[in-house]
Amino acid sequence: MKKNQTQIKKYAAVISIFLAAVIVGLFVFFFCIKRSVEQRSKNTMRNNVVRQSEHLRTILDIQYDYLNGLTEEIGKTDHLLAKKNMDLIKSITKHTDFCGTALIEPNGDAHYDNGLIKNLSHRRYFKEVISGKRTLSDPLDSSISGSTRVVLGVPIYNSKHKVIGALGGSYDVTALSRMLFEDLFNGQGCSMIIAQNGEIIAFEGDTSYWNIDYRDNFYTYCKKLMIKDNVTAKMIKQDFYKGKSNLVTADSKKKGNVRHYFAYMPMKINNWMLCYAVPEKTAQQSYDFIEHYEIIFMAVFVILVILLVLYIVHENYRRDQELMKYAQTDALTGLYNKETTKLRTDEILSTDKDMIHAFLILDMDCFKQINDGYGH
């Protein structure tokens, strides 16, 4: 009996070691899958931001080229503010994505398509464009629409290649940012264009969810986050000043520690940075099927392990019963052997003391001759 118990303990130890090894292997396997999904989703984020940043610059370059083409026609007229030129800028506003256009004289007087006249001689972008450079203004708040706009300015040359004025067109960067990212992750993220000093000059997203809005300071916002991977708000600020792209993972304290990705990269325009943020779970949605397969795999594995253990237990029990039978019976007759008969007799006598017991002993004469003649 002790030998059987020892054997069972050995079986149990072997099974335990096997299960422990398999469980550890599964945990390592699932951990590696999780890390792979996390890395792939981050790479997708980076690629999206890089692609959209290049797309934004391409759009602005196209608008510059369009304005340059118009300035060639405007420069052929004798007078900058000729009716033909004023009708042209009205047509630009009507048929393009520009929110407004203006012809700017060398003294800084800007004649807008809606008839307004304003002096811009104190503006940085006017000084740049009148010197012969194409320029992009700092963000301007529209008091009418409440949007954030920038002015694209290109110089106007006459036939002698002398700057006689400038053509400016205002562009809604908030709408541009929305257009770039509205198809990503079902619009659950937010996009920001951030100046080097941390001021958010364009924001598109749910302000109540992200607790940040246009004109807020991004560096101050980062200090409220629990940033992971040994990254600090100070390091993010250094990235912005160096024009370095990066992706950081951070938890929001006010959102139940929901984890988010923040990917940013330089736009190479006025030292601005383009930043896109999205919840980690949203960024990994395309890999949800892996999690479903993991659950199915784990369920099937657990069932198979249970069946294996039950089979081992059943086989061990059957084998123990066979060994017990061989140990208790005579192989030739199938009757209890001497030792088992004694134990069974003692058991019966000790449990049924009030009953009368008897032994019937049969002695068959000359039975040895039968064994010797015909075999046992």
Side-chain angles (χ1 to χ4, degrees):
M1 199 69 170
K2 291 182 178 180
K3 187 176 180 181
N4 290 336
Q5 291 178 350
T6 303
Q7 193 71 19
I8 292 173
K9 290 181 179 179
K10 288 182 179 180
Y11 277 128
V14 171
I15 293 173
S16 300
I17 294 172
F18 169 74
L19 291 177
V22 171
I23 290 172
V24 170
L26 286 175
F27 273 113
V28 172
F29 174 69
F30 291 142
F31 175 78
C32 291
I33 289 180
K34 181 176 176 59
R35 289 297 300 272
S36 178
V37 169
E38 182 179 346
Q39 193 61 41
R40 287 175 180 272
S41 59
K42 286 182 178 180
N43 289 338
T44 301
M45 276 280 295
R46 290 190 184 96
N47 293 336
N48 283 333
V49 174
V50 170
R51 184 172 61 252
Q52 300 300 51
S53 178
E54 293 174 350
H55 187 195
L56 188 148
R57 288 197 299 270
T58 300
I59 291 175
L60 293 179
D61 286 339
I62 291 173
Q63 302 304 327
Y64 276 124
D65 292 340
Y66 176 70
L67 292 177
N68 281 327
L70 295 174
T71 58
E72 291 181 5
E73 294 298 320
I74 295 174
K76 294 177 182 179
T77 59
D78 297 330
H79 183 50
L80 179 66
L81 302 178
K83 184 177 184 302
K84 175 184 176 181
N85 294 341
M86 295 304 298
D87 290 341
L88 179 61
I89 65 172
K90 291 178 181 178
S91 177
I92 295 172
T93 305
K94 185 177 180 180
H95 297 99
T96 68
D97 292 331
F98 287 106
C99 304
T101 52
L103 287 172
I104 309 172
E105 297 184 89
N107 64 356
D109 287 341
H111 299 262
Y112 291 89
D113 59 280
N114 58 5
L116 292 176
I117 300 175
K118 185 187 295 186
N119 188 275
L120 306 175
S121 58
H122 62 288
R123 299 282 189 181
R124 173 191 60 80
Y125 65 88
F126 166 74
K127 297 176 182 178
E128 290 180 354
V129 73
I130 210 65
S131 68
K133 302 176 182 178
R134 76 177 191 179
T135 185
L136 184 69
S137 73
D138 293 325
L140 304 171
D141 295 332
S142 173
S143 58
I144 298 175
S145 64
S147 61
T148 307
R149 299 180 180 180
V150 291
V151 175
L152 285 70
V154 293
I156 301 174
Y157 296 93
N158 60 14
S159 58
K160 298 180 181 179
H161 203 69
K162 179 182 177 182
V163 178
I164 60 172
L167 174 62
S170 65
Y171 210 89
D172 188 345
V173 292
T174 302
L176 182 59
S177 176
R178 182 188 306 117
M179 178 191 71
L180 291 174
F181 291 98
E182 63 183 354
D183 293 333
L184 294 180
F185 305 114
N186 297 321
Q188 295 187 45
C190 74
S191 59
M192 295 170 274
I193 298 177
I194 306 169
Q196 194 175 59
N197 63 0
E199 183 182 12
I200 298 175
I201 59 180
F203 178 86
E204 177 59 29
D206 186 352
T207 56
S208 62
Y209 176 87
W210 295 98
N211 294 316
I212 193 171
D213 203 352
Y214 167 65
R215 290 299 184 188
D216 287 343
N217 190 280
F218 186 69
Y219 303 145
T220 303
Y221 176 72
C222 288
K223 292 179 181 178
K224 301 176 183 179
L225 300 173
M226 294 182 289
I227 306 174
K228 306 298 180 181
D229 304 324
N230 298 319
V231 178
T232 63
K234 184 178 180 180
M235 294 169 67
I236 294 176
K237 185 176 181 179
Q238 291 174 350
D239 286 345
F240 275 52
Y241 274 88
K242 293 178 181 178
K244 180 181 176 182
S245 60
N246 199 359
L247 186 146
V248 298
T249 305
D251 292 344
S252 174
K253 298 178 182 178
K254 292 187 177 181
K255 295 297 178 184
N257 291 341
V258 176
R259 184 154 295 180
H260 300 87
Y261 292 152
F262 291 84
Y264 53 83
M265 73 165 298
M267 293 176 55
K268 299 179 181 178
I269 302 172
N270 291 359
N271 294 322
W272 293 349
M273 298 287 284
L274 180 64
C275 179
Y276 184 73
V278 70
E280 181 187 54
K281 187 173 181 62
T282 302
Q284 296 181 5
Q285 273 183 350
S286 58
Y287 301 99
D288 283 349
F289 70 95
I290 295 178
E291 183 177 344
H292 297 156
Y293 287 155
E294 287 178 350
I295 295 173
I296 294 172
F297 173 76
M298 181 62 77
V300 172
F301 173 77
V302 169
I303 292 172
L304 291 176
V305 168
I306 292 174
L307 291 176
L308 175 62
V309 172
L310 291 176
Y311 174 76
I312 292 174
V313 171
H314 172 72
E315 285 297 309
N316 188 62
Y317 175 78
R318 186 180 64 80
R319 184 170 176 274
D320 286 346
Q321 291 298 108
E322 289 180 354
L323 293 175
M324 187 71 70
K325 180 179 179 181
Y326 292 144
Q328 292 179 344
T329 60
D330 177 72
L332 179 62
T333 62
L335 302 176
Y336 284 131
N337 57 25
K338 177 183 177 181
E339 184 65 27
T340 307
T341 301
K342 181 177 182 303
L343 292 174
R344 289 290 293 154
T345 301
D346 291 340
E347 181 183 348
I348 292 172
L349 292 176
S350 63
T351 55
D352 299 329
K353 296 180 179 179
D354 297 332
M355 295 182 66
I356 299 174
H357 301 283
F359 285 102
L360 177 62
I361 301 175
L362 301 177
D363 185 12
M364 300 181 67
D365 294 335
C366 304
F367 194 72
K368 183 176 181 303
Q369 297 176 11
I370 296 175
N371 284 340
D372 293 342
Y374 298 98
H376 287 76

